[in-house]
Amino acid sequence: MGVLLTHNAYGKSRVRLTKVERTAERHDLFEWSVDVQLEGDFEPAYTEGNNLNVIATDTMRNTVYAHAADGPLGSPEAFGLLLTKHFMTYPQVTQASYWGRIVVGDAAHAHAFAGNGSEQRTCAVRANEQGNTVISGLDNLMVMKTSGSAWKDFHRDAYRTLPDAEDRILATSLTATWSYSSPVDWNVAHVEVRTAMLKAFAGHRSLGAQHTLYAMGEAALAAVPALAEITIAMPNRHRIPMNLEPLGRANTNSVFVATDEPHGLIKGTLRRDM
Amino acid sequence: MGVLLTHNAYGKSRVRLTKVERTAERHDLFEWSVDVQLEGDFEPAYTEGNNLNVIATDTMRNTVYAHAADGPLGSPEAFGLLLTKHFMTYPQVTQASYWGRIVVGDAAHAHAFAGNGSEQRTCAVRANEQGNTVISGLDNLMVMKTSGSAWKDFHRDAYRTLPDAEDRILATSLTATWSYSSPVDWNVAHVEVRTAMLKAFAGHRSLGAQHTLYAMGEAALAAVPALAEITIAMPNRHRIPMNLEPLGRANTNSVFVATDEPHGLIKGTLRRDM
Amino acid sequence: MGVLLTHNAYGKSRVRLTKVERTAERHDLFEWSVDVQLEGDFEPAYTEGNNLNVIATDTMRNTVYAHAADGPLGSPEAFGLLLTKHFMTYPQVTQASYWGRIVVGDAAHAHAFAGNGSEQRTCAVRANEQGNTVISGLDNLMVMKTSGSAWKDFHRDAYRTLPDAEDRILATSLTATWSYSSPVDWNVAHVEVRTAMLKAFAGHRSLGAQHTLYAMGEAALAAVPALAEITIAMPNRHRIPMNLEPLGRANTNSVFVATDEPHGLIKGTLRRDM
Amino acid sequence: MGVLLTHNAYGKSRVRLTKVERTAERHDLFEWSVDVQLEGDFEPAYTEGNNLNVIATDTMRNTVYAHAADGPLGSPEAFGLLLTKHFMTYPQVTQASYWGRIVVGDAAHAHAFAGNGSEQRTCAVRANEQGNTVISGLDNLMVMKTSGSAWKDFHRDAYRTLPDAEDRILATSLTATWSYSSPVDWNVAHVEVRTAMLKAFAGHRSLGAQHTLYAMGEAALAAVPALAEITIAMPNRHRIPMNLEPLGRANTNSVFVATDEPHGLIKGTLRRDM
């Protein structure tokens, strides 16, 4: 039996690009997810395992980050035109396709950002013979800051490989719950707690996620007198600086690989000291 | 061997409540997901299958909708206090717990609402020897309207059971892609297309999802002269009026069951007639 | 400006069909998710809001369940051919498309079924100055039974609308965790606990989910002497009998609507009585 | 106002460990997701940003991979006891917690593995005036092989950083669709196509994902004479060798980091040559 390969294509999907473009006044933050796909003279890889023409999908990934480093991103459309033009320079490529998707992009502050909107307000009430307990909260409030965040001078031992960082991206998807010492206007209190936490996040000079968590909890307790206790959990959604040296470029703290896993998870509970 | 039941609890989870509270000036839309859990004298159900004390989880669900019909929701905390107080009136209940979660809640218009924020901007670029193709778009833009939407006079046959509706909730999670006849400022054009579609959705007097889709596509083509073609897909995220009659209440078109599946799926492609 | 509607299609997605086909020796259980899409003479619905030709997507849903009731399902391909043939009998339809997806389908017992495989084995270990604690478990073990399960004689009040059921489908996605009184061969013990619970689920004559939970916990404790305590959580994934009367058919306890939300949630902890 | 930090904890979540333990007769494949959490003397990090005691979550991750390299994994319970014992050796740690989750673990072949069970059988049928089209398929069939897979001699340019690999893990989550030249017993044909693809995947000496895709398609066409055409899409779920050198260990091609994104995506369509 003969077999024909009637169509083939390959590429790299879900290349998660984070870029910070800095000016004196403000930082622009781009979080995109990019897919690339090529068609062309690749049949021998399928039929014979001959890969000489095959541009590895890892090479495609490198190309995305390298071009992101070379100039302003502009728009997903402009960046897509740039990338597909690059891939068409390979003689074995007859068609290059690009898909871009903006994950985060709205600025809420000169260098702090509130994210992609799957935040939900939560609430738990329990009643028994001792009375009622009300716990209010929020889930999944994505926040990032591109300035004023360090992570250094932490424990050093044989398992540590991470270097100190003076200026890193801090990104987290916040979960918080809090209780009250007395009934309040629940809707108003929710807005006040949320606002206090966001303001503390943006304005705080962070020496670590733990440090920022504490500042946010402290701000919430200060903002709403009826707040008795607050618990915050902050997954540390790492944005890892891309190593551009093997690609002949310097990374001026601007091009990052966004990752979901593994992630740090920092928790803390604060209450008013009587 | 003897066995002890050391702890037990049961309840209903993910009760999806949609409520519209209407005043002359505006509609307030609430979309909540509610969980209820009871503890108390329920051991015989576990050990002997004796259910006489067991309030069915379906009954709990009915209770959520009935109480939602009885007055303004206020806040998840207030509604949780109301519900747990109700469940504590059963002698067999020693503890009642409630969790509420706000899924949609921000008003964008007197009776139209833009939703929970997982919207993403998308883009596809393809290059080959014929040149470049740019497709822009957006995914998962949740919109709802609580007025100006009917669904009636559709095909009648032996398989139809759905009655005509003069005034229903129209809820959808919009996906759209569009192409251009000439290059534009991609970022500006994106905002213009999105705004035109949202405005048409809110202002349009809908006779069906198909009718609204067409109005949105027409508005996008009118707003951006460089737009060549637009394709819209609208899953019809049904909000089904809750039948409150068996619970001794009238439903004044205000209490709905939100569902994700099954859902209608309406698609259409529009282009400029030359 | 003129506008052309160059393509349109609409349909119903994620119609979740559960069917039991019973013979003397065994039950066959089918859990499918079905999408239907139609093309044809539907432009007036888009351009004018004229719905006279439009077969409601709710009608499509009814049609899926009605045809499922009319004969053996056979295979998704055979059922798809039957359904599309039906929709082609409407003069306004020029193309009918069907997508089927088998969610559950493998038999593990004459009338009990173990499900779709996203089960994971879990484990938690905690060490502190008091020593070590080991908790083993499993998540998301989907099981169903189509015989030997009743739900009746539960609490009756003004909020109850659910009738008694002598013979219903019991479907759950099991989570369990257990602790040990002494170290064991962890891998062997895991298999023994899982097997004991599955056997109890299948063989037990259930008077309610609570009743079954207890039987499973009791069986696990009996099977593994080193087991100290077991906690089981069972979401009750309701399979609701489809009302076929308005469609002129009897439902012989064979056609069901599968739902994920809302769901009951039953929990219990059992330990050995010393 | 004074504030008290009443509880704190931190750790690393979703550390995705892949390990191959090889003997002459067979390979054992472990795919686990691990979380670690520590409690202890960490308050200064929260209150002052003093991180001297803080073991970075990145260090915790390194520790997981290092211990995985040091000996057989055994069971998640045994590995959890080992890890928590290690973390308790730090004087600032008062409690160490571990959660493990087995994602893949069942052997289907001496060095090929079929995965975690979210596979679904699919089917599409289209009817119009030209007749019927039936497309059968499967989604999300996870397969891995730990032997007989190379990736080398691919295109070399300024953007390539990936080295050649003689012996790598090949992991994919297969999607396939196929059409028939004539009606068949759909259920039987489905099993035959699936079996032929799995057997080709396991037995084939792979020179790349493209090469394996072709072998699988060829095997399916050979196994079922009524098959007209088959399209396969294979996301390349990379298992990246962990660099253990900074941790003072050699990686004997046994410890890998499992990743979901980015991933390669390889597609191909094969049909019978007439």
Side-chain angles (χ1 to χ4, degrees):
Chain A
M1 179 193 69
V3 166
L4 289 182
L5 182 69
T6 58
H7 182 259
N8 72 84
Y10 79 107
K12 196 71 160 188
S13 295
R14 290 165 58 187
V15 178
R16 293 189 50 193
L17 168 65
T18 297
K19 191 176 182 206
V20 184
E21 296 180 358
R22 294 179 171 83
T23 62
E25 309 85 48
R26 58 175 284 149
H27 293 180
D28 283 315
L29 172 69
F30 301 86
E31 292 236 327
W32 293 0
S33 179
V34 168
D35 296 6
V36 172
Q37 185 182 286
L38 301 182
E39 296 177 51
D41 182 15
F42 302 114
E43 291 89 343
Y46 289 80
T47 55
E48 307 160 30
N50 176 338
N51 299 316
L52 280 176
N53 267 355
V54 180
I55 302 147
T57 65
D58 188 72
T59 304
M60 297 180 193
R61 170 184 176 272
N62 287 339
T63 307
V64 170
Y65 289 106
H67 281 74
D70 287 349
L73 290 181
S75 66
E77 288 87 352
F79 190 64
L81 287 164
L82 188 75
L83 268 186
T84 53
K85 186 177 171 192
H86 167 80
F87 285 115
M88 289 299 288
T89 62
Y90 292 82
Q92 67 266 47
V93 174
T94 57
Q95 181 164 295
S97 302
Y98 159 97
W99 295 265
R101 180 171 289 274
I102 296 187
V103 180
V104 175
D106 289 343
H109 182 273
H111 44 261
F113 303 85
N116 73 347
S118 46
E119 177 189 355
Q120 292 188 330
R121 174 175 165 189
T122 64
C123 160
V125 178
R126 193 177 60 228
N128 56 29
E129 57 183 18
Q130 278 83 44
N132 299 318
T133 312
V134 174
I135 307 284
S136 300
L138 54 80
D139 263 17
N140 213 20
L141 170 55
M142 178 79 186
V143 285
M144 303 183 67
K145 62 191 292 182
T146 56
S147 182
S149 168
W151 176 238
K152 59 182 180 177
D153 300 331
F154 46 92
H155 185 83
R156 194 172 293 278
D157 65 18
Y159 295 94
R160 172 174 167 177
T161 58
L162 191 70
D164 279 357
E166 277 293 342
D167 186 13
R168 62 164 185 172
I169 290 184
L170 180 59
T172 188
S173 175
L174 198 69
T175 296
T177 53
W178 53 86
S179 60
Y180 298 95
S181 51
S182 57
V184 294
D185 181 322
W186 311 107
N187 293 336
V188 169
H190 185 91
V191 172
E192 289 171 345
V193 171
R194 185 181 183 279
T195 303
M197 288 196 295
L198 282 178
K199 201 171 155 194
F201 178 84
H204 174 64
R205 179 144 196 88
S206 174
L207 298 172
Q210 284 91 337
H211 194 217
T212 299
L213 182 153
Y214 189 84
M216 296 172 80
E218 201 174 24
L221 288 167
V224 181
L227 221 63
E229 189 177 86
I230 182 164
T231 296
I232 302 176
M234 288 174 47
N236 201 342
R237 302 284 180 190
H238 309 293
R239 269 59 186 154
I240 300 165
M242 176 71 185
N243 180 10
L244 296 172
E245 275 181 38
L247 304 171
R249 286 156 176 89
N251 190 347
T252 57
N253 200 23
S254 72
V255 178
F256 303 84
V257 181
T259 61
D260 282 341
E261 54 182 18
H263 62 81
L265 182 55
I266 318 299
K267 300 178 188 173
T269 300
L270 288 77
R271 69 168 169 81
R272 222 170 280 283
D273 190 9
M274 304 300 176
Chain B
M1 178 193 69
V3 165
L4 290 182
L5 183 69
T6 58
H7 182 259
N8 72 84
Y10 79 106
K12 196 72 160 187
S13 296
R14 287 164 61 185
V15 178
R16 294 190 48 192
L17 168 65
T18 297
K19 189 174 182 208
V20 184
E21 296 180 359
R22 294 179 171 84
T23 63
E25 310 84 49
R26 58 177 282 150
H27 293 180
D28 283 314
L29 172 69
F30 301 85
E31 291 237 325
W32 293 1
S33 179
V34 169
D35 296 6
V36 172
Q37 186 182 283
L38 302 182
E39 297 177 51
D41 182 16
F42 302 115
E43 292 87 342
Y46 289 81
T47 55
E48 308 160 27
N50 177 338
N51 299 316
L52 280 176
N53 268 354
V54 180
I55 303 148
T57 66
D58 189 70
T59 304
M60 297 181 194
R61 171 184 177 271
N62 287 340
T63 307
V64 170
Y65 290 106
H67 280 74
D70 287 350
L73 290 181
S75 66
E77 287 86 354
F79 190 64
L81 287 164
L82 188 74
L83 268 186
T84 54
K85 187 177 170 193
H86 166 81
F87 285 115
M88 290 299 288
T89 63
Y90 291 83
Q92 67 267 45
V93 174
T94 57
Q95 182 164 293
S97 302
Y98 159 97
W99 294 265
R101 180 172 289 275
I102 296 187
V103 180
V104 176
D106 290 342
H109 182 273
H111 43 260
F113 303 84
N116 73 347
S118 47
E119 177 190 355
Q120 293 187 329
R121 175 175 165 189
T122 64
C123 160
V125 178
R126 193 176 62 229
N128 56 27
E129 59 182 15
Q130 278 83 44
N132 300 317
T133 312
V134 174
I135 308 284
S136 300
L138 54 81
D139 264 16
N140 214 20
L141 170 55
M142 178 76 186
V143 286
M144 303 182 67
K145 63 191 293 182
T146 57
S147 182
S149 169
W151 174 239
K152 58 182 181 177
D153 301 331
F154 46 92
H155 185 82
R156 196 173 292 278
D157 64 19
Y159 294 95
R160 171 173 169 178
T161 58
L162 190 70
D164 280 358
E166 277 293 341
D167 187 11
R168 62 163 186 172
I169 291 184
L170 181 59
T172 188
S173 174
L174 197 70
T175 295
T177 53
W178 53 87
S179 61
Y180 298 95
S181 52
S182 55
V184 293
D185 181 321
W186 310 107
N187 293 336
V188 169
H190 185 90
V191 172
E192 289 171 345
V193 170
R194 186 181 182 280
T195 303
M197 288 196 294
L198 281 179
K199 202 170 155 194
F201 178 83
H204 174 64
R205 178 143 197 90
S206 174
L207 299 171
Q210 285 89 340
H211 193 215
T212 300
L213 182 154
Y214 189 84
M216 295 171 80
E218 201 173 22
L221 288 167
V224 181
L227 221 63
E229 189 178 85
I230 181 163
T231 295
I232 301 176
M234 288 174 49
N236 201 343
R237 302 283 180 190
H238 310 292
R239 268 62 185 153
I240 300 166
M242 175 72 184
N243 181 10
L244 297 172
E245 276 182 35
L247 304 171
R249 286 157 175 87
N251 191 345
T252 56
N253 200 23
S254 73
V255 178
F256 302 84
V257 181
T259 60
D260 282 342
E261 55 184 17
H263 62 80
L265 182 54
I266 318 299
K267 301 178 188 172
T269 301
L270 288 77
R271 69 167 170 81
R272 223 171 278 284
D273 189 11
M274 304 300 178
Chain C
M1 178 193 71
V3 165
L4 290 182
L5 183 69
T6 57
H7 182 259
N8 72 84
Y10 79 107
K12 197 71 159 186
S13 294
R14 289 165 58 187
V15 178
R16 294 188 49 192
L17 167 66
T18 297
K19 190 174 182 208
V20 184
E21 295 181 0
R22 294 178 172 84
T23 62
E25 309 85 50
R26 56 176 285 149
H27 293 180
D28 284 314
L29 172 68
F30 301 85
E31 292 236 325
W32 292 359
S33 179
V34 168
D35 297 4
V36 173
Q37 184 181 284
L38 301 182
E39 296 177 50
D41 181 15
F42 302 115
E43 293 87 343
Y46 289 81
T47 55
E48 306 160 29
N50 177 338
N51 299 316
L52 280 175
N53 267 355
V54 180
I55 303 148
T57 65
D58 188 71
T59 304
M60 297 180 192
R61 171 184 177 272
N62 287 340
T63 307
V64 170
Y65 290 106
H67 280 74
D70 287 349
L73 290 180
S75 66
E77 287 85 352
F79 190 63
L81 287 164
L82 188 75
L83 267 186
T84 54
K85 186 177 170 192
H86 166 80
F87 285 115
M88 290 298 289
T89 63
Y90 292 82
Q92 67 268 46
V93 174
T94 57
Q95 182 165 294
S97 302
Y98 158 98
W99 294 265
R101 179 172 289 275
I102 296 187
V103 180
V104 176
D106 289 341
H109 182 272
H111 44 260
F113 304 85
N116 75 346
S118 45
E119 177 189 356
Q120 293 187 329
R121 175 176 165 189
T122 63
C123 162
V125 178
R126 194 176 60 229
N128 56 28
E129 58 183 16
Q130 278 82 43
N132 299 318
T133 312
V134 174
I135 308 284
S136 300
L138 54 81
D139 264 15
N140 213 21
L141 171 54
M142 178 79 185
V143 285
M144 303 183 67
K145 62 191 291 183
T146 56
S147 182
S149 168
W151 175 239
K152 60 182 179 177
D153 300 331
F154 45 93
H155 185 82
R156 195 172 294 276
D157 65 18
Y159 296 94
R160 171 173 167 177
T161 58
L162 191 70
D164 280 358
E166 278 293 343
D167 187 12
R168 62 165 185 169
I169 290 184
L170 180 59
T172 189
S173 175
L174 198 69
T175 295
T177 53
W178 54 87
S179 61
Y180 298 95
S181 52
S182 56
V184 294
D185 181 320
W186 310 107
N187 294 336
V188 169
H190 185 91
V191 171
E192 289 171 346
V193 171
R194 184 181 183 280
T195 302
M197 289 197 293
L198 283 178
K199 201 171 156 195
F201 178 84
H204 173 65
R205 177 142 197 90
S206 174
L207 298 171
Q210 285 90 339
H211 194 214
T212 300
L213 182 153
Y214 189 84
M216 296 171 80
E218 201 173 23
L221 288 166
V224 180
L227 221 63
E229 189 179 86
I230 181 163
T231 295
I232 302 176
M234 287 174 48
N236 200 343
R237 303 282 181 190
H238 310 293
R239 268 60 187 152
I240 300 166
M242 177 72 184
N243 181 10
L244 296 171
E245 276 181 37
L247 304 171
R249 285 157 175 89
N251 190 346
T252 57
N253 199 24
S254 72
V255 178
F256 302 85
V257 181
T259 61
D260 282 341
E261 56 183 15
H263 61 81
L265 182 55
I266 318 301
K267 300 177 188 174
T269 300
L270 288 78
R271 68 169 170 79
R272 222 170 279 282
D273 190 10
M274 305 300 178
Chain D
M1 180 194 68
V3 165
L4 290 181
L5 183 69
T6 57
H7 182 258
N8 72 83
Y10 78 105
K12 196 71 161 186
S13 295
R14 289 164 60 186
V15 178
R16 295 189 48 192
L17 168 65
T18 297
K19 189 172 182 209
V20 184
E21 296 179 358
R22 294 179 172 84
T23 62
E25 309 83 50
R26 56 177 284 149
H27 293 181
D28 283 314
L29 173 69
F30 301 86
E31 291 238 323
W32 292 1
S33 179
V34 168
D35 296 6
V36 172
Q37 185 182 285
L38 301 182
E39 296 178 50
D41 181 15
F42 302 116
E43 292 88 343
Y46 288 80
T47 55
E48 308 160 27
N50 177 336
N51 299 316
L52 280 176
N53 268 354
V54 181
I55 303 148
T57 65
D58 189 70
T59 303
M60 296 180 194
R61 171 184 178 272
N62 286 341
T63 307
V64 170
Y65 290 106
H67 281 74
D70 287 350
L73 290 181
S75 66
E77 288 86 354
F79 190 63
L81 287 164
L82 188 75
L83 267 185
T84 54
K85 187 177 171 192
H86 166 81
F87 284 115
M88 289 298 288
T89 63
Y90 291 84
Q92 66 267 48
V93 174
T94 57
Q95 182 164 295
S97 302
Y98 159 96
W99 293 264
R101 181 171 287 276
I102 297 188
V103 180
V104 176
D106 290 342
H109 183 271
H111 44 260
F113 303 84
N116 74 347
S118 46
E119 177 189 355
Q120 293 188 328
R121 175 176 164 188
T122 64
C123 160
V125 178
R126 193 176 60 230
N128 56 28
E129 58 184 14
Q130 278 83 45
N132 300 318
T133 312
V134 174
I135 308 284
S136 300
L138 54 81
D139 263 16
N140 213 22
L141 171 53
M142 179 77 186
V143 286
M144 302 182 68
K145 63 190 292 183
T146 56
S147 181
S149 169
W151 175 239
K152 58 182 181 177
D153 301 331
F154 46 92
H155 185 83
R156 197 172 291 278
D157 64 20
Y159 295 94
R160 172 174 167 176
T161 58
L162 190 70
D164 279 0
E166 277 293 341
D167 186 10
R168 62 164 186 171
I169 290 184
L170 181 59
T172 189
S173 175
L174 198 69
T175 295
T177 54
W178 54 86
S179 61
Y180 298 95
S181 51
S182 56
V184 293
D185 181 321
W186 311 108
N187 293 335
V188 169
H190 185 91
V191 172
E192 289 171 345
V193 170
R194 184 180 182 281
T195 303
M197 289 196 293
L198 282 178
K199 201 171 155 194
F201 178 85
H204 173 65
R205 179 145 196 88
S206 174
L207 299 171
Q210 285 90 338
H211 193 215
T212 300
L213 182 153
Y214 189 84
M216 296 171 79
E218 200 172 24
L221 288 167
V224 181
L227 222 63
E229 188 178 85
I230 183 164
T231 295
I232 302 176
M234 289 174 50
N236 201 343
R237 303 281 181 191
H238 310 292
R239 269 59 186 154
I240 300 166
M242 176 72 185
N243 181 10
L244 296 172
E245 276 182 36
L247 304 171
R249 285 157 176 88
N251 192 344
T252 57
N253 200 23
S254 73
V255 178
F256 302 84
V257 181
T259 61
D260 282 342
E261 55 183 16
H263 62 81
L265 182 54
I266 317 299
K267 300 176 187 172
T269 300
L270 288 77
R271 69 169 170 79
R272 225 171 277 283
D273 190 11
M274 304 301 177

